Amino acid sequence: MLVQNLAVLVLAGFVGYLVISKVPNTLHTPLMSGTNAIHGIVLLGGLIVLGLGAHGVLEKILLVIAIAFGTINVVGGFLVTDRMLGMFKSDRPNRTDQ
Amino acid sequence: MSWWHDPTLIQSLYVVAFALFIYGLMGLTGPKTAVRGNQIAALGMAVAVIATLLTPGLGNWWLILLGVAIGTAVGVPAARKVKMTAVPQMVALFNGVGGGAVALIAWVEFRHGFGDDPLYVAIASQFAAVVGSISFWGSNIAFGTLQEILPGRPIAAGRVQQPLNLALLLGAAACAVGIIAGGRSELLMIGLLLACAVLGVMVVLPIGGADMPVVISLLNAFTGLSAAAMGLALDNTALIVAGMIVGASGSILTNLMAKAMNRSIPAIVAGGFGGGVTGAAAVEANGDRSVRQTNAADAAVQMAFAKQVVVVPGYGMAVAQAQHAVAEMAELLEAKGVSVLYAIHPVAGRMPGHMNVLLAEADVPYEQQREMDEINGEFTRTDVALVIGANDVTNPAARTDPNSPIYGMPILNVDASRSVIVLKRSMSPGFAGVDNALYFDPKTAMLFGDAKSSVSEVTAELKAL
């Protein structure tokens, strides 16, 4: 299991490297904001750990906060990125593609 | 067990989710596809969340709903209402809460105990706790600095800083090792989280506002890595892939930004850029030099009769929300036959691309926005360079003065143009705390005041011409 997961980890690292190296300077802020939203995936961790059993009030409070944090990260991240990108008008020629 | 609880289905949906993440990110490589790219990535996230909710035996539905509801209630208005100028600190905040979530989950995992789990589960979980909480506290400090709740100048503890940081890191590591070795005392976990909290604050606090974009990007990568580690601990492919992609991309972005500022990442993290002795000495040395002041009417005439005007926007334009006023002025100039271009330094503002976002918001055509390498040759053909709230990125000291803290940073060669007009609130030095020799250049005229009202005054004068 560990070795399989490590293989996935390493490959994902290279994919991230290759995909992102192509992003033009001008889109760096939206990119940062977009990748930021993607690591909100930690939300899943909160869902699993809370859903499969939390004991006592403290654990429940911690996990509800964790899920709230993860949701803020995901929802806020994608929305703010969308707002930013909407401002780049699509009918204009893109110099950086040349 | 119902078919929708089948682990193979959940795993397959995860594969769909990260395929969508990667495809979405590929879309972000161009402005035409970027909006859709972001939506595709968001769709991937929805698939991943739904897949997770199919996990067999999931309970505590009301609490899950409560967490999601709170997160939505906070996140949606925050993202909707934030001004485009404040996006960098918003990203810092969103990044921080992600790291915080990782640390909290790791805490609960510790309370559950690692029992019969293989050793790597505890190691990955503790790694996630350390990196996640550093990211949480560091991001909050970055938010505070950019929001100007905290001073933009570096705050440092002096000589004890580095040994103290090292001690904190070692302390956190010792707690983590204790837990991995099977320690069950909650004090170990609390000690670890506290040490990381202080460390996150101590590392980011001494970093001046000028370096903050690099730091946010670095912390973004950190949160990604902590999410990936959490994925290893929970044996969750979606977390591993998504976290690692962010970890890798954040690292590259951090590197690109640091390069654009000619700074090394270790030097930035070591802190103390700008402030201190060098800054104070520079201010004194400039004490008896004088600057030339101009007014809106003169500036308007000067630009109206120019062939080419290059606008150099910086953070000052962002703070004053002046982008729409600038665009309006540029349209008037163009109507008078003046060619208007925008010179965008890679780290102008508080994030790479920050200025492009603002100018795009004000409907400035993409093809007028020129990057540093393209525009630097244009300045010798430029009659008026209009610097709006940009400082360090125009400072010729970066080329000429080896003693300057910003020496070697690539800059916009504004001083090569025939004349320069600088819009600035006051003579205070920039975020890096370095005085700007450009202001004392005989061909430079200063137009003091809030960037937006100055530009509006110039626009009014242009209309009257």
Side-chain angles (χ1 to χ4, degrees):
Chain A
M1 196 70 88
L2 173 64
V3 178
Q4 275 178 32
N5 280 342
L6 282 180
V8 170
L9 186 79
V10 171
L11 290 176
F14 280 103
V15 169
Y17 180 86
L18 288 174
V19 171
I20 303 303
S21 329
K22 289 183 200 156
V23 177
N25 244 349
T26 45
L27 286 172
H28 275 170
T29 299
L31 164 71
M32 192 140 131
S33 169
T35 57
N36 183 40
I38 289 177
H39 68 49
I41 190 111
V42 295
L43 169 62
L44 304 195
L47 296 177
I48 293 170
V49 179
L50 179 59
L52 294 184
H55 319 292
V57 181
L58 175 64
E59 285 185 16
K60 283 179 181 158
I61 292 176
L62 292 179
L63 288 171
V64 169
I65 297 175
I67 290 176
F69 275 1
T71 310
I72 294 175
N73 193 169
V74 169
V75 177
F78 280 120
L79 274 180
V80 91
T81 312
D82 188 60
R83 263 187 65 195
M84 251 190 282
L85 290 172
M87 287 165 188
F88 289 95
K89 299 291 180 292
S90 52
D91 53 346
R92 285 181 183 134
N94 173 20
R95 280 180 309 104
T96 40
D97 274 352
Q98 289 162 9
Chain B
M1 196 167 72
S2 322
W3 61 268
W4 59 82
H5 288 322
D6 186 354
T8 313
L9 174 69
I10 295 171
Q11 291 299 327
S12 310
L13 285 175
Y14 280 163
V15 174
V16 173
F18 61 68
L20 289 172
F21 287 151
I22 296 169
Y23 187 60
L25 279 178
M26 283 161 69
L28 274 175
T29 49
K32 283 179 193 169
T33 50
V35 176
R36 250 190 80 217
N38 184 54
Q39 286 164 354
I40 289 169
L43 178 68
M45 188 63 77
V47 171
V49 170
I50 291 168
T52 308
L53 293 176
L54 296 177
T55 308
L58 217 61
N60 279 330
W61 289 101
W62 287 110
L63 289 175
I64 288 178
L65 204 62
L66 176 67
V68 172
I70 295 173
T72 311
V74 175
V76 173
R80 282 262 163 79
K81 282 185 195 145
V82 63
K83 288 192 181 133
M84 279 300 127
T85 46
V87 161
Q89 50 265 50
M90 201 42 100
V91 173
L93 212 55
F94 289 156
N95 179 54
V97 290
V102 172
L104 291 173
I105 295 166
W107 187 356
V108 174
E109 281 196 308
F110 160 78
R111 289 176 59 92
H112 287 176
F114 297 104
D116 299 330
D117 292 332
L119 187 62
Y120 78 83
V121 171
I123 297 176
S125 175
Q126 291 303 304
F127 176 84
V130 170
V131 178
S133 55
I134 291 177
S135 179
F136 175 71
W137 291 101
S139 299
N140 283 329
I141 296 296
F143 168 80
T145 306
L146 290 175
Q147 191 70 26
E148 294 178 6
I149 299 167
L150 296 166
R153 294 293 195 96
I155 304 169
R159 209 167 282 177
V160 294
Q161 177 94 33
Q162 299 306 336
L164 192 59
N165 285 353
L166 191 65
L168 284 165
L169 188 61
L170 289 177
C175 291
V177 169
I179 291 168
I180 292 163
R184 300 285 306 132
S185 163
E186 189 121 38
L187 285 177
L188 282 174
M189 193 69 205
I190 292 173
L192 180 146
L193 292 175
L194 275 180
C196 292
V198 180
L199 183 61
V201 172
M202 293 278 295
V203 167
V204 179
L205 208 51
I207 299 172
D211 281 340
M212 217 39 106
V214 186
V215 174
I216 296 177
S217 176
L218 189 66
L219 292 171
N220 190 34
F222 269 29
T223 308
L225 289 178
S226 70
M230 187 49 82
L232 281 179
L234 294 172
D235 186 27
N236 185 304
T237 338
L239 274 172
I240 298 175
V241 173
M244 195 59 209
I245 289 176
V246 178
S249 70
S251 310
I252 297 163
L253 196 56
T254 311
N255 215 356
L256 287 176
M257 279 190 236
K259 264 190 198 149
M261 299 170 75
N262 195 32
R263 305 261 293 139
S264 77
I265 295 167
I268 290 170
V269 176
F273 184 38
V277 185
T278 335
V283 172
E284 258 172 51
N286 285 317
D288 49 353
R289 286 196 274 165
S290 61
V291 297
R292 190 160 61 87
Q293 233 177 304
T294 185
N295 57 42
D298 287 345
V301 173
Q302 209 178 334
M303 284 191 284
F305 292 99
K307 273 209 191 80
Q308 176 160 292
V309 171
V310 173
V311 178
V312 182
Y315 190 60
M317 183 186 83
V319 179
Q321 292 278 324
Q323 62 271 30
H324 296 283
V326 171
E328 193 194 345
M329 181 192 72
E331 263 172 47
L332 272 175
L333 285 171
E334 282 179 316
K336 292 184 188 294
V338 183
S339 139
V340 180
L341 294 173
Y342 295 81
I344 309 210
H345 190 277
V347 293
R350 290 291 178 269
M351 256 188 191
H354 193 183
M355 290 301 126
N356 302 87
V357 171
L358 293 178
L359 292 174
E361 187 192 8
D363 285 330
V364 170
Y366 215 81
E367 60 269 26
Q368 286 184 8
Q369 304 177 21
R370 299 288 168 89
E371 283 172 29
M372 183 168 61
D373 296 336
E374 294 173 77
I375 196 79
N376 263 344
E378 285 286 331
F379 280 113
T380 47
R381 285 193 289 278
T382 299
D383 302 295
V384 183
L386 184 67
V387 179
I388 306 179
N391 191 343
D392 299 325
V393 297
T394 64
N395 193 344
R399 284 198 317 262
T400 55
D401 179 8
N403 294 322
S404 170
I406 59 166
Y407 181 68
M409 176 170 114
I411 57 158
L412 293 165
N413 297 327
V414 174
D415 53 338
S417 44
R418 275 174 216 121
S419 65
V420 182
I421 301 173
V422 177
L423 268 56
K424 207 170 175 336
R425 250 189 304 197
S426 67
M427 277 307 288
S428 65
F431 229 13
V434 186
D435 230 12
N436 193 340
L438 178 71
Y439 305 156
F440 304 101
D441 192 311
K443 64 187 171 197
T444 302
M446 309 291 293
L447 183 55
F448 289 114
D450 169 71
K452 191 176 177 181
S453 47
S454 292
V455 172
S456 304
E457 280 168 38
V458 173
T459 308
E461 294 290 344
L462 279 173
K463 279 181 187 155
L465 275 179

